[in-house]
Amino acid sequence: MDTEFLAELDRFTLLVRKRVSTAYSGARRSVKVGRGISPVGYREYRKGDDFKFVDWKVYARTEKLYVREHEEERSLAVHLLLDASSSMAYGDKFAFASKVSVGFAYMAIKENEKFSISKFGEMLEPGETRGGRRNLFWAMEDLDRTAPSGGTDFRRTAEQFDLTIRSTSLVVVVSDLLDDVESIINAIYKLSSHDLILIQVLDPAEAEMDFEGDLRFIDMESKESVMTRVTPKVREEYKAKMKEHDARIRETCDAVGADLFTYTTDTPIFEVFSDVNSRAQVWRA
């Protein structure tokens, strides 16, 4: 990554329009379930909601579960969770995902906001929340030195992140999302107290199973290998499995109000920022 990449990012603005006039004042407001500044209403209980916020008096009258919603303050911070597991070493996935993460961090500091870039695999490596170009350059150098390794554990990553970040923030997860789907779903629910965006990064060959003939596939995380013959039928079965995997993730995102975007590494990088900026629903009035 170089400074020319950052200069191009000046064409884009952060996902959310600033609602305060002073930097780092932490005055974004959000309607969230739970305790906050003031109660603003009720909504029906959804899977994953905390039972302690259920209004039992309303239940006694209606025999339906409703949870209280409050308006709470949000910190001015963008937290990037970047997958650095071995599967991200395939093709250009980690380099592409790193640029996506740096791009969001840069747009944050352009709006006088803070950022953190935390790498994860089987465990989270928490990044420091900070602002300024100098810190961003250090983050870029760190990512350029990083060699993806190890397995992936979304559930543990989300649990560790939840312990380190107390204020409601914008959280952007950048990953191939190729972990066990139940672990990913659990992580989405765990992170759903934040404004959450998931950006899936895949190699074109992964997305399309662009192979043919007798091949040996090696799992980049477990190192297990399997011999198979890739036929049109196998390719269609693979695509169906991927579609089912992604559909479950998308259903979960829809249930908690998170955004999900999928890109292959041959996508022009600035199209990613433009697309997310125009289509993301979180933090929008």
Side-chain angles (χ1 to χ4, degrees):
M1 285 180 279
D2 53 34
T3 55
E4 290 184 11
F5 169 62
L6 297 183
E8 285 294 314
L9 285 168
D10 282 332
R11 296 189 295 119
F12 300 93
T13 58
L14 192 60
L15 294 175
V16 59
R17 183 176 52 210
K18 291 195 64 172
R19 298 178 184 176
V20 292
S21 59
T22 54
Y24 312 138
S25 62
R28 290 203 206 294
R29 294 185 183 275
S30 169
V31 174
K32 291 291 183 180
V33 175
R35 297 183 179 86
I37 297 171
S38 58
V40 295
Y42 297 85
R43 68 161 171 76
E44 287 194 44
Y45 174 86
R46 292 197 296 253
K47 183 179 178 181
D49 287 339
D50 195 325
F51 268 101
K52 67 184 178 182
F53 300 130
V54 170
D55 192 310
W56 297 107
K57 291 181 180 180
V58 174
Y59 175 76
R61 296 196 304 270
T62 66
E63 295 188 354
K64 291 184 178 181
L65 294 176
Y66 286 87
V67 292
R68 296 182 299 276
E69 289 189 316
H70 290 75
E71 187 174 59
E72 65 178 79
E73 296 209 350
R74 299 194 265 205
S75 65
L76 296 180
V78 179
H79 296 282
L80 290 307
L81 303 184
L82 173 61
D83 189 345
S85 64
S86 292
S87 67
M88 294 295 289
Y90 185 74
D92 295 323
K93 285 198 296 185
F94 187 72
F96 188 92
S98 293
K99 279 193 171 183
V100 170
S101 299
V102 167
F104 281 106
Y106 182 68
M107 288 189 286
I109 64 175
K110 285 289 291 182
E111 295 292 331
N112 290 324
E113 301 192 0
K114 294 182 179 180
F115 74 92
S116 70
I117 299 179
S118 301
K119 295 177 288 186
F120 71 91
E122 293 175 292
M123 298 187 70
L124 179 71
E125 297 179 33
E128 182 182 352
T129 303
R130 52 197 178 181
R133 284 177 176 252
R134 178 179 297 180
N135 288 317
L136 183 61
F137 290 146
W138 288 342
M140 291 169 62
E141 291 174 359
D142 176 67
L143 294 179
D144 284 340
R145 292 192 300 265
T146 298
S149 62
T152 315
D153 192 331
F154 269 86
R155 183 195 301 262
R156 179 187 293 177
T157 293
E159 290 172 350
Q160 291 176 318
F161 181 80
D162 189 58
L163 293 174
T164 60
I165 305 298
R166 295 298 183 183
S167 57
T168 305
S169 305
L170 174 61
V171 176
V172 183
V173 179
V174 188
S175 168
D176 55 17
L177 300 181
L178 294 181
D179 190 19
D180 174 73
V181 70
E182 296 299 334
S183 179
I184 296 173
I185 289 172
N186 182 278
I188 292 171
Y189 277 113
K190 192 70 175 177
L191 297 172
S192 64
S193 61
H194 301 280
D195 289 292
L196 180 62
I197 298 175
L198 278 74
I199 299 179
Q200 183 182 38
V201 175
L202 296 173
D203 185 272
E206 290 177 319
E208 298 297 326
M209 190 62 170
D210 193 16
F211 304 100
E212 189 172 349
D214 295 324
L215 298 167
R216 180 188 299 275
F217 290 94
I218 301 175
D219 188 307
M220 299 187 72
E221 296 187 6
S222 69
K223 305 305 179 185
E224 294 180 3
S225 65
V226 61
M227 284 290 299
T228 189
R229 173 170 293 177
V230 180
T231 64
K233 181 179 179 181
V234 169
R235 188 177 295 112
E236 290 306 311
E237 289 175 350
Y238 171 86
K239 288 183 178 180
K241 289 288 187 182
M242 283 286 285
K243 186 176 181 179
E244 179 184 349
H245 177 87
D246 290 348
R248 291 200 62 196
I249 296 173
R250 188 170 297 280
E251 287 172 4
T252 306
C253 288
D254 290 343
V256 302
D259 286 309
L260 173 64
F261 299 89
T262 298
Y263 305 100
T264 53
T265 55
D266 57 353
T267 304
I269 191 69
F270 296 108
E271 285 188 14
V272 174
F273 302 118
S274 180
D275 186 40
V276 174
N277 187 54
S278 63
R279 294 200 294 125
Q281 296 301 309
V282 300
W283 289 58
R284 290 184 179 275

